[in-house]
Amino acid sequence: MITETSTPVNFEYPETQRMVAEAARSFAQQYIQPHVMEWDEAQTLPVDVLRKAGEMGFMGILVPQSLGGSGLGYHEYIAILEEISRVDPSIGLSVAAHNSLCTNHILMFGDESQKERWIPRLASGEWIGAWGLTEHNTGSDAGGMNTTAKKDGDTWILNGAKNFITHGRSGNVAVVIARTGEKGDSRGMTAFVVEKGTPGFSSGKKENKLGMRASETAELVFDQCRIPDANRLGPVGEGFIQSMKILDGGRISIGALSLGIAKGAYEAALKYSKERVQFGKPISQFQGISFKLAEMATEIEAAELLVHKAAFLKNSGKPVTQLSAMAKMYASEVCVRVASEAVQIHGGYGYTKDFPVEKFYRDSKLCTIGEGTTEIQKVVIAKNILKD
Ligand SMILES: CCCCCCCC(=O)SCCNC(=O)CCNC(=O)[C@H](O)C(C)(C)COP(=O)(O)OP(=O)(O)OC[C@H]1O[C@@H](n2cnc3c(N)ncnc32)[C@H](O)[C@@H]1OP(=O)(O)O
């Protein structure tokens, strides 16, 4: 019951969120839109555009101003990702991996000298960041990893390979999680920072992908790679737990990316349905098409509420594991459904590269896989519901 003293839920977005959304929209239209299909075709990561994003403050969104960042919160972060992804989800994915995985790991678990050493260059976009958890044989079962880090005096020697790494080739610095203890022990992994150019550290195979093709995905290879103990992030044995906390935030960013894709595809389908005339009237006038639009709009609205609630919890420092998994799972499944229906509404034209929905359809699928599959999100949600 609503009484006079009840505080209603506020659905107005903060002013700063609207301002950064506007800035991200014009950035995407000016620097990304003209090249979307060219980068997709060539599978080119436009590093210069990421540097430009750095000038706009989009590569250090969550970083405090004292370390050269924009000092913004999750509400602004998801607004930027959504706007960029409406134009090109590949660039949204790159910005997300850089911010919420690599930079955030150093920011959350690095000591002051580590932050001063790496964060300003990441926040400005001068350096591009990568984050290595996944391996060839350990995707969902991240804790079963085989890459090892062995202590040798004041150094660590890394051996193994990380797979499906965003910016695996172009990244200047990578946060890498490696086994420092027993296999199967969640306290047997530790996080390290490895800079490009370190002897024994190289890039391997670059993936040829269905979608998100302008976001580079490649392997990181470690062969007797020696790094100083000063590159260790946090205590020995905390790497897996740290990664789970990083993914709690990262999954919100995949939810935002999914929203961008869903809105981009929906808007294209709405426009097309009003323009395309069949049987003497716009196809939007047929119930079969208008009901699709109604369902798409409703699902987007619901996904948006989940993503924004997760951002609110994260910003407030409240537990977010369950909500971020829910937001990521639901928004990513919605974006696949919406992108598929958008192609359907376009008919044959939707299956061609002349219309943006073809690319949204290909890009959307990654969202139900990256940063934990839909099935893993259900595991996370169920564990949280059933604990205690
Ligand atoms: C090709 C295109 C590009 C693709 C891009 C892909 C990009 C990526 O690879 S991103 C990485 C994606 N990987 C993932 O998302 C990993 C998915 N897996 C997981 O999230 C976990 O392994 C998961 C949830 C299945 C749980 O694993 P499991 O091994 O059973 O661990 P679990 O027993 O639950 O937890 C171990 C410890 O961590 C703790 N923990 C787990 N989650 C959290 C959390 N969110 N916060 C804090 N602590 C946590 C647990 O409390 C537990 O602690 P304790 O040992 O004290 O009891």
Side-chain angles (χ1 to χ4, degrees), residues 123-153:
S124 69
E126 180 194 342
W127 276 20
I128 308 297
W131 189 73
L133 176 71
T134 301
E135 300 183 1
H136 290 271
N137 294 322
T138 57
S140 294
D141 182 12
M145 67 179 62
N146 295 306
T147 295
T148 55
K150 294 250 184 317
K151 190 94 194 284
D152 183 30

Side-chain angles (χ1 to χ4, degrees), residues 131 133-134 139-143 164 186-187 209 217 240-241 244-245 247-248 251 321 366 370-372 376 379-380 383:
W131 189 73
L133 176 71
T134 301
S140 294
D141 182 12
F164 294 141
S186 63
R187 298 297 193 290
K209 308 196 296 292
T217 309
F240 182 77
I241 312 280
M244 293 299 110
K245 291 179 180 167
L247 286 169
D248 284 347
R251 286 167 182 161
T321 303
L366 189 271
E371 300 204 27
I376 285 298
V379 169
V380 172
K383 275 192 186 202

Side-chain angles (χ1 to χ4, degrees), residues 160 168-169 194 196-204 219-223 225:
R169 283 193 180 170
V194 189
K196 192 175 192 168
T198 306
F201 174 35
S202 60
S203 298
E219 195 181 26
L220 306 178
V221 181
F222 303 94
D223 180 11
C225 173

